[in-house]
Amino acid sequence: MGVTVAPFECWFFAWVALAPLWIIVVKHTSPHLPILPALIWAIAYHGIALFWITGIHPMNWLGVPWWPSLFITIFCWTFISLWGGLLVSLWAFLMVRLDKQKPWLRVLIGTALWCGLEGLWSSGSLWWSSLSYTQSPHNLLILHLGQLSGPSAVTAVIVGVNGLVAESWIYFGTQRRRDAEEERRIYVSLGFVNKYLTSAVILLVISHVLGFSLYSQPLNSQEGSGLKIGVIQGNIPNEIKILPQGSRIAIRNYTDGYLELANQGVDGVLTPESALPLYNSDFDQIRLLNDIKEKKVVAWLGAFGRTGKSYTNSLFSVNGEGEVTSRYDKSKLVPLGEFVPFEEIIGGLVERLSPLDEHQIHGDKNQVFYTPLGRAIVGICYESAFAEIFRYQAANGGEFILSSSNDAHYTQAMADQHHAQDIMRAIETDRWAVRATNTGYSAFVDPHGITLWKSGYNSYETHAEVIYPRQSRTFYVRFGDWLMVVLLVLGVLGWLI
């Protein structure tokens, strides 16, 4: 399962990679034995998929010495792998108690439990590698199930197919033993084909046909309703970003990029997360603000905002008069990287991870971002993994997605995975997405998840595309993750009956 995502992108393995663990869990008789293989499976999946986090080492740009930087990196990688291991181990712990249940009921409850645990984990601060994102960006058909009930719809199909494949293997083994005992060979002619494997194929086909029907819906982009949006990929290495030299380069690159795009006749310009290493109160001290007043082109600037004695990682909407008309504060912060869990206990050990003297704080959970070009859906960096943030903003009138990120301190695989997350959010909300990053990948994505343009990596680039604001509301936007609730209710009823 770990090689289903970037950099390997063997997404098709996801349809069978859970089945061996399922078999081990079901065939164990002790309620404690399956926890170890479940833990190993989960550590392998999350550890491989999130290996890109080791790219933060060395953190000399934050003033952290080489050896402490290595220790922090190993700790972070180990922690997130074990955190994922806890999720799967809990699933196995609950599943092993179903070994006496009928296979159909095991598949239902096993799928419901997995979706429920993913939903629980995604409501916290540490989340990234849902099984659903193993299919992005390649399997756009199945990703369209996200329009029905978000990422859990995709996860449910993946777990369901794996469960049926596993039950097929268990059934085959059981029948073969019975035939040996009764000295009959009738079943041998049937081989591996049985009702569970047939059901797995049927579920796989039907889910893709349903996804294709949603994928085939026309976008109906009306003539004259489009917005020409530009993005700037400033390519400022983190090693110099917070130094005076980096600040000068950033202001120069984003000013030049803004002027270049404004001269192309764009309606708005998006910059990456913390593109300008300063507070919004200092905007009037840079030349870029004067250029915005002159060109009258809307700009969405990544910078920092003050909140009392703390600061926020924010995106600011600046109109043609140079006025900040709206502000979005990043609400999902990276644990240890942007905020310190249990700060009163371990804050002194990792406080140097912050490039600023003050402490970064979370933005409000539910925010709305108004712009002169319409209401937008905003996600800053890590928030791309949290579908509910995008769903809430779409339900409250967001017409297009602005994704602003800085992935410079990680590996190229992270940038690919991040782009894959944004593709899922565009499909789920049925919105055009504009993605601006510091070093790559910046991109434009249509509501069907098709990438219209994708930048190079570690390069300075500007690009403009026409997007179309949309006010449609998918089933997921309207009703949220209803499928997970239905599966859990059905699972409980089935178990009680």
Side-chain angles (χ1 to χ4, degrees), residues 148-348:
L148 301 179
S149 188
S152 70
V154 182
T155 295
V157 176
I158 293 174
V159 177
V161 169
N162 273 274
L164 288 169
V165 170
E167 295 296 342
S168 175
W169 182 267
I170 295 170
Y171 177 80
F172 172 72
T174 302
Q175 289 296 105
R176 186 171 57 183
R177 286 193 300 273
R178 288 175 179 173
D179 289 344
E181 294 170 0
E182 299 174 9
E183 296 183 353
R184 288 187 290 113
R185 298 292 181 268
I186 300 175
Y187 186 74
V188 175
S189 62
L190 296 177
F192 189 52
V193 178
N194 54 58
K195 56 187 176 181
Y196 303 111
L197 185 60
T198 302
S199 300
V201 174
I202 292 174
L203 176 59
L204 186 65
V205 172
I206 289 179
S207 61
H208 279 78
V209 170
L210 178 57
F212 177 75
S213 68
L214 295 171
Y215 178 80
S216 302
Q217 296 298 314
L219 295 179
N220 295 326
S221 301
Q222 297 181 356
E223 189 77 22
S225 65
L227 297 174
K228 190 175 183 180
I229 305 298
V231 297
I232 308 171
Q233 184 169 292
N235 196 36
I236 316 296
N238 276 353
E239 288 79 6
I240 66 171
K241 187 170 184 178
I242 60 176
L243 301 176
Q245 174 193 3
S247 180
R248 290 193 298 269
I249 295 175
I251 293 174
R252 183 192 66 202
N253 284 3
Y254 290 108
T255 300
D256 292 345
Y258 174 85
L259 291 173
E260 178 184 348
L261 291 166
N263 290 333
Q264 295 177 22
V266 300
D267 299 297
V269 176
L270 176 65
T271 66
E273 172 191 23
S274 62
L276 303 177
L278 44 82
Y279 291 104
N280 65 300
S281 56
D282 299 324
F283 282 174
D284 56 359
Q285 300 179 15
I286 58 176
R287 183 168 62 92
L288 175 58
L289 200 69
N290 293 328
D291 292 329
I292 293 174
K293 294 177 181 178
E294 178 183 346
K295 296 295 183 178
K296 306 296 183 183
V297 173
V298 174
W300 298 297
L301 304 179
F304 299 104
R306 291 189 184 276
T307 302
K309 295 182 179 180
S310 301
Y311 74 96
T312 57
N313 186 346
S314 306
L315 188 71
F316 298 91
S317 181
V318 182
N319 65 14
E321 304 301 321
E323 301 168 337
V324 175
T325 59
S326 191
R327 165 180 168 178
Y328 178 89
D329 300 330
K330 185 176 182 180
S331 61
K332 289 290 185 180
L333 305 183
V334 181
L336 293 181
E338 293 180 315
F339 83 101
V340 181
F342 312 111
E343 185 173 357
E344 63 279 2
I345 301 174
I346 64 173

Side-chain angles (χ1 to χ4, degrees), residues 27 68 87 94 101 108 142 151 175 200 214 226 230 237 248 260 301 339 380 393 417 429 432 450:
K27 296 183 72 173
L87 183 152
L94 297 172
Q101 299 293 339
L108 171 62
I142 204 68
Q175 289 296 105
L214 295 171
R248 290 193 298 269
E260 178 184 348
L301 304 179
F339 83 101
I380 298 181
Q393 294 182 72
Q417 290 185 24
T429 57
W432 294 75
I450 298 174

Side-chain angles (χ1 to χ4, degrees), residues 312-391:
T312 57
N313 186 346
S314 306
L315 188 71
F316 298 91
S317 181
V318 182
N319 65 14
E321 304 301 321
E323 301 168 337
V324 175
T325 59
S326 191
R327 165 180 168 178
Y328 178 89
D329 300 330
K330 185 176 182 180
S331 61
K332 289 290 185 180
L333 305 183
V334 181
L336 293 181
E338 293 180 315
F339 83 101
V340 181
F342 312 111
E343 185 173 357
E344 63 279 2
I345 301 174
I346 64 173
L349 298 177
V350 292
E351 61 182 0
R352 297 185 68 182
L353 286 178
S354 172
L356 301 176
D357 294 333
E358 298 88 349
H359 290 286
Q360 186 171 342
I361 59 174
H362 299 262
D364 293 336
K365 182 179 180 180
N366 298 323
Q367 301 177 62
V368 178
F369 192 69
Y370 299 93
T371 84
L373 303 180
R375 198 174 298 184
I377 302 167
V378 178
I380 298 181
C381 196
Y382 181 49
E383 292 181 324
S384 293
F386 297 88
E388 178 59 27
I389 293 176
F390 292 74
R391 189 201 73 81

